[in-house]
């Protein structure tokens, strides 16, 4: 049978084949709970405080949000999940779940060491083509914000970092950030592991973008190692994608582009309102969907120069990408195309894409519970605020449970 004819996101038997009845019922309860926005709002406020206060709630978190959305506390624990997914031809993007915090230089160096361990581990696994990092795990937030402010005073996309605003000690601090990033990218390039750089808040994103372009220019010669994350819920990112492509052509490297909608919408809008500047967020969902799908089209149109990861939970966007490949006579497993969804969400997309012969992965964070709390709080908020997301997850899980009960 032609694999293309197998692509249907309604096939729950494929979607949940890897889950036991018990695991499915647990997921149904969790998504049902996340459908109550007031409960989620209260939980996302109390949980970080309770963790810091040392209250005994880690067991509860481990058995609910952590189990649903995180691979484990260590690489060894995560390997069990990766191996299970591999049986269904689903790959893994490993993410050590550390992000912005007051870690100090020693903490930032430790994060770099952990990222290097992930690269080295991924290189030994046939099912782990990528790993993910956040620059806020390698750099002080305030330093990034100072550089971003300097970039805002410039015009146009230059792909460089305006370090002239830094003091001598800050310059040395930034040099250490670049050195950490180069360590990771160099190890990844030698072992052919893709490095996905996560997006950050808009007010620190400019130096991140410039640093990623710098790494691409050095390491993406002939093949994509370094990928930037482009958040299309920002109204300026489609143009940024096109500008990045021009840089790739000009400097002769492969542009790595992971396309996402975004994760900081409420925070971005609130800050813009409080500080009286134009919100970077799209005016509505339709505008976001339009730019995302145009970005997919642009990347597939220039697939010889852009290595693209369609990282989306939107059924149409994934189907659109596959149809574009078909229209152009390109293989579903073209070396410059990949699909990805977050672990614990949208299994109906992931596993049905895999069944149709598309290269697809789960974004799989791991780390101590205390370190991944910010990630877990975002997942909870996302599932309570994104229209229809929780309802869709819940209806598909219930559909599969009903199918199994009849079987």
């Amino acid at each position: 049978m032609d694999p293309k004819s197998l692509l249907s996101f309604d096939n729950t038997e494929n979607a949940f084949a890897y889950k036991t009845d018990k695991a499915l019922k647990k997921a149904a309860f969790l998504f049902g709970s996340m459908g109550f926005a007031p409960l989620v709002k209260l939980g996302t406020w109390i949980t970080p405080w309770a963790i810091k206060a040392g209250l005994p709630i880690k067991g509860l978190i481990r058995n609910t949000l952590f189990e649903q959305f995180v691979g484990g506390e260590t690489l060894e624990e995560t390997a069990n999940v990766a191996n299970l997914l591999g049986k269904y031809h689903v790959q893994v993007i490993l993410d050590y779940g550390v992000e912005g915090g007051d870690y100090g230089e020693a903490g930032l160096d430790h994060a770099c060491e952990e990222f290097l361990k992930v690269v080295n581990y991924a290189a030994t696994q046939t099912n782990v083509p990528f790993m993910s990092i956040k620059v806020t795990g390698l750099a002080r937030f305030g330093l990034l914000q100072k550089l971003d402010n300097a970039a805002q005073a410039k015009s146009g996309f230059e792909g460089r970092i305006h370090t002239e605003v830094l003091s001598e000690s800050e310059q040395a601090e930034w040099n250490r950030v670049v050195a950490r990033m180069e360590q990771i990218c160099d190890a990844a390039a030698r072992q052919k592991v893709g490095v996905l750089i996560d997006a950050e808040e808009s007010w620190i994103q400019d130096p991140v973008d410039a640093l990623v372009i710098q790494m691409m220019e050095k390491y993406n010669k002939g093949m994509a190692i370094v990928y930037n994350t482009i958040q299309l819920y920002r109204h300026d990112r489609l143009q940024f994608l096109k500008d990045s492509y021009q840089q790739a052509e000009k400097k002769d490297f492969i542009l790595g582009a992971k396309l996402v909608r975004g994760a900081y919408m409420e925070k971005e809008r609130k800050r813009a309102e409080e500080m009286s500047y134009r919100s970077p967020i799209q005016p509505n969902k339709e505008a976001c969907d339009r730019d995302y799908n145009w970005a997919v089209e642009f990347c597939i149109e220039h697939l010889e120069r852009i290595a693209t990861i369609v990282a989306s939970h939107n059924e149409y966007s994934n189907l659109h990408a596959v149809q574009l490949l078909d229209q152009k006579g390109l293989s579903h497993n073209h070396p410059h195309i990949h699909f990805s969804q977050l672990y614990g969400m949208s299994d109906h997309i992931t596993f049905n894409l895999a069944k149709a012969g598309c290269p697809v992965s789960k974004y799989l964070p791991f780390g101590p519970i205390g370190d991944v709390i910010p990630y877990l709080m975002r997942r909870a908020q996302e599932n309570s605020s994104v229209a229809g997301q929780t309802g869709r997850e819940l209806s598909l899980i219930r559909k599969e449970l009903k199918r199994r009960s009849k079987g």
Side-chain angles (χ1 to χ4, degrees):
M1 185 181 289
D2 182 355
K4 295 176 186 177
S5 66
L6 296 176
L7 185 55
S8 165
F9 295 142
D10 293 320
N11 189 321
T12 60
E13 185 175 3
N14 289 340
F16 301 113
Y18 79 112
K19 279 191 177 292
T20 63
D21 289 356
K22 182 180 178 182
L24 263 186
K25 288 173 183 175
K26 202 169 183 179
F29 174 78
L30 184 63
F31 280 112
S33 301
M34 286 190 290
F36 294 98
L39 178 65
V40 172
K41 189 173 183 179
L42 180 65
T44 54
W45 177 76
I46 288 177
T47 302
W49 171 82
I51 288 286
K52 286 181 183 177
L55 297 182
I57 66 165
K58 286 188 177 180
L60 175 64
I61 296 169
R62 173 183 286 279
N63 290 321
T64 53
L65 287 171
F66 189 90
E67 187 178 272
Q68 180 70 25
F69 298 116
V70 180
E73 292 203 71
T74 65
L75 271 175
E76 291 72 29
E77 286 181 17
T78 306
N80 295 326
V81 177
N83 291 337
L84 175 62
L85 294 173
K87 292 177 182 176
Y88 298 89
H89 308 290
V90 173
Q91 297 178 310
V92 163
I93 298 171
L94 276 180
D95 172 48
Y96 173 57
V98 63
E99 52 186 87
D102 186 16
Y103 300 112
E105 288 293 305
L108 298 172
D109 285 338
H110 174 71
C112 180
E113 290 167 8
E114 291 297 322
F115 288 138
L116 286 168
K117 285 180 186 176
V118 177
V119 171
N120 294 333
Y121 174 79
T124 68
Q125 305 298 305
T126 57
N127 194 40
V128 187
F130 304 105
M131 57 87 66
S132 177
I133 67 173
K134 287 183 77 71
V135 175
T136 45
L138 302 173
R140 181 170 57 88
F141 195 98
L143 181 68
L144 293 171
Q145 193 164 5
K146 186 169 183 177
L147 287 167
D148 190 276
N149 288 338
Q152 294 299 331
K154 311 291 178 178
S155 60
F157 180 86
E158 298 177 57
R160 73 182 187 88
I161 300 157
H162 304 286
T163 55
E164 64 271 13
V165 300
L166 300 180
S167 67
E168 189 175 334
S169 63
E170 288 171 333
Q171 179 68 67
E173 184 183 0
W174 178 250
N175 290 342
R176 290 192 292 273
V177 173
V178 176
R180 291 182 191 113
M181 182 68 85
E182 287 191 323
Q183 261 189 289
I184 294 165
C185 293
D186 186 68
R190 282 187 281 106
Q191 299 179 88
K192 293 183 171 54
V193 175
V195 177
L196 314 183
I197 314 298
D198 276 358
E200 305 280 358
E201 291 89 343
S202 63
W203 57 96
I204 62 168
Q205 186 63 45
D206 277 355
V208 173
D209 288 335
L211 181 59
V212 176
I213 287 287
Q214 185 180 324
M215 295 299 113
M216 285 187 196
E217 188 178 352
K218 184 171 183 179
Y219 295 104
N220 284 18
K221 299 291 187 180
M223 71 176 293
I225 294 295
V226 183
Y227 290 72
N228 203 358
T229 299
I230 300 174
Q231 300 189 108
L232 276 307
Y233 77 159
R234 284 181 55 174
H235 53 67
D236 62 341
R237 293 291 93 177
L238 180 61
Q239 186 59 50
F240 172 77
L241 171 64
K242 294 176 180 179
D243 291 341
S244 298
Y245 172 73
Q246 294 298 324
Q247 289 285 310
E249 278 206 313
K250 179 181 175 183
K251 298 181 178 179
D252 192 26
F253 62 83
I254 303 295
L255 175 64
K258 182 179 79 166
L259 306 178
V260 303
R261 277 170 169 78
Y264 305 103
M265 184 167 63
E266 292 176 7
K267 185 192 293 187
E268 292 278 3
R269 283 179 172 156
K270 183 180 178 184
R271 185 177 189 267
E273 185 178 347
E274 288 174 350
M275 299 181 69
S276 300
Y277 62 84
R278 183 191 178 196
S279 171
I281 305 303
Q282 299 273 15
N284 50 50
K285 184 179 184 298
E286 290 72 26
C288 177
D289 289 343
R290 177 203 65 210
D291 275 15
Y292 190 94
N293 294 326
W294 282 355
V296 169
E297 291 169 16
F298 182 84
C299 288
I300 292 178
E301 186 66 36
H302 299 92
L303 215 53
E304 75 290 342
R305 175 71 69 179
I306 307 178
T308 310
I309 300 177
V310 180
S312 174
H313 293 245
N314 182 285
E315 294 174 17
Y316 177 82
S317 294
N318 285 283
L319 189 60
H320 186 50
V322 175
Q323 289 172 341
L324 287 170
L325 292 173
D326 292 344
Q327 288 167 16
K328 290 184 168 297
L330 298 171
S331 169
H332 286 182
N333 62 355
H334 187 285
H336 279 184
I337 194 75
H338 193 84
F339 298 83
S340 187
Q341 289 77 43
L342 298 172
Y343 179 65
M345 292 171 63
S346 298
D347 286 344
H348 66 296
I349 294 177
T350 308
F351 288 84
N352 283 306
L353 281 170
K355 197 79 171 178
C358 298
V360 62
S361 61
K362 282 295 193 185
Y363 178 95
L364 190 64
F366 74 95
I369 289 178
D371 287 352
V372 299
I373 284 295
Y375 175 83
L376 290 174
M377 295 305 96
R378 286 205 303 279
R379 294 290 73 78
Q381 289 168 338
E382 179 180 61
N383 279 285
S384 67
S385 64
V386 176
Q389 179 68 48
T390 297
R392 178 65 167 149
E393 298 281 355
L394 200 51
S395 66
L396 288 163
I397 291 170
R398 286 172 174 166
K399 178 183 174 184
E400 175 59 11
L401 285 170
K402 186 176 180 181
R403 187 197 68 81
R404 291 185 186 185
S405 69
K406 291 180 177 179

